Amino acid sequence: MKVWITLPVLCLCSFICSSGYAQEEEDIYYFDYMDHRLEDPDIDEDYLKEHPFGKEVALRVEALRQRYTYRVEGSATVPQDRTIVEKPVLYYAMQKIDAYYKKQSKKGGMSADKAAEKLVYALDVAMLIRYQRTEALEKEIKKLKGGEEIAQFFNEKVKIRF
């Protein structure tokens, strides 16, 4: 009787362990899709900074800024206002990716449409994973140098599960 009970438990454990191992072996980071995370916050388009890839990309860049940063007013001990960045590794990685794709488009290394498409994907992923556990991903990003490596990493190794 004990053999029949432990066999399904062992099969379940081996499945869980093997699926986790396969994910690590591929070095792909999977995150859950949450539709409400892509909703645009209230952005005043009159003050929107221009972006070489157009208004839609500019809106996403601003939405990312609004989601990842907030201002803390000065106090008696710290008289200046401060901007706090939550998950700074991800936020600054997105800025490097943005700069990389702008440069690639300007130099002719990539068409503007293709660069915009890849940038939008990275920005959407960053917005989707804002409230998910990203410690392992951030650790990997810290190892990368420059916008090209980070952009390639996001395109190949960061995936959204629907």
Side-chain angles (χ1 to χ4, degrees):
M1 184 81 168
K2 282 186 175 183
V3 172
W4 292 105
I5 293 172
T6 57
L7 186 59
V9 171
L10 288 174
C11 291
L12 180 63
C13 288
S14 67
F15 173 74
I16 291 171
C17 292
S18 67
S19 64
Y21 179 73
Q23 182 175 348
E24 289 178 19
E25 185 177 319
E26 295 174 13
D27 291 331
I28 294 179
Y29 297 87
Y30 292 97
F31 295 96
D32 296 327
Y33 176 79
M34 291 181 249
D35 193 30
H36 65 283
R37 296 289 179 212
L38 287 178
E39 294 173 1
D40 287 333
D42 293 331
I43 297 173
D44 188 357
E45 295 182 21
D46 294 335
Y47 299 104
L48 192 63
K49 292 180 182 177
E50 288 187 29
H51 198 281
F53 298 140
K55 185 178 176 182
E56 197 63 39
V57 176
L59 285 168
R60 280 189 166 86
V61 169
E62 179 61 21
L64 183 82
R65 187 195 62 77
Q66 287 185 10
R67 289 194 176 126
Y68 274 79
T69 65
Y70 62 93
R71 293 190 59 78
V72 176
E73 292 185 22
S75 65
T77 56
V78 181
Q80 294 179 333
D81 291 352
R82 296 175 291 152
T83 300
I84 306 298
V85 178
E86 294 184 5
K87 297 195 178 193
V89 172
L90 289 175
Y91 181 72
Y92 293 121
M94 290 302 108
Q95 288 185 338
K96 288 178 182 177
I97 289 174
D98 183 28
Y100 168 73
Y101 285 127
K102 285 180 191 175
K103 187 176 179 181
Q104 286 297 306
S105 174
K106 188 176 180 180
K107 286 185 169 183
M110 185 180 297
S111 72
D113 291 339
K114 187 69 171 172
E117 177 186 321
K118 288 179 178 263
L119 177 58
V120 164
Y121 174 77
L123 291 169
D124 286 349
V125 167
M127 286 189 273
L128 286 170
I129 67 176
R130 167 69 186 87
Y131 294 104
Q132 297 186 42
R133 298 190 68 168
T134 59
E135 295 85 8
L137 175 67
E138 291 177 56
K139 190 175 179 180
E140 278 301 311
I141 291 172
K142 284 181 184 180
K143 296 176 186 176
L144 303 174
K145 296 178 183 166
E148 182 177 4
E149 286 185 14
I150 296 170
Q152 183 178 3
F153 178 79
F154 259 83
N155 284 327
E156 295 174 3
K157 304 289 184 177
V158 181
K159 304 294 179 192
I160 300 298
R161 280 188 289 219
F162 293 92

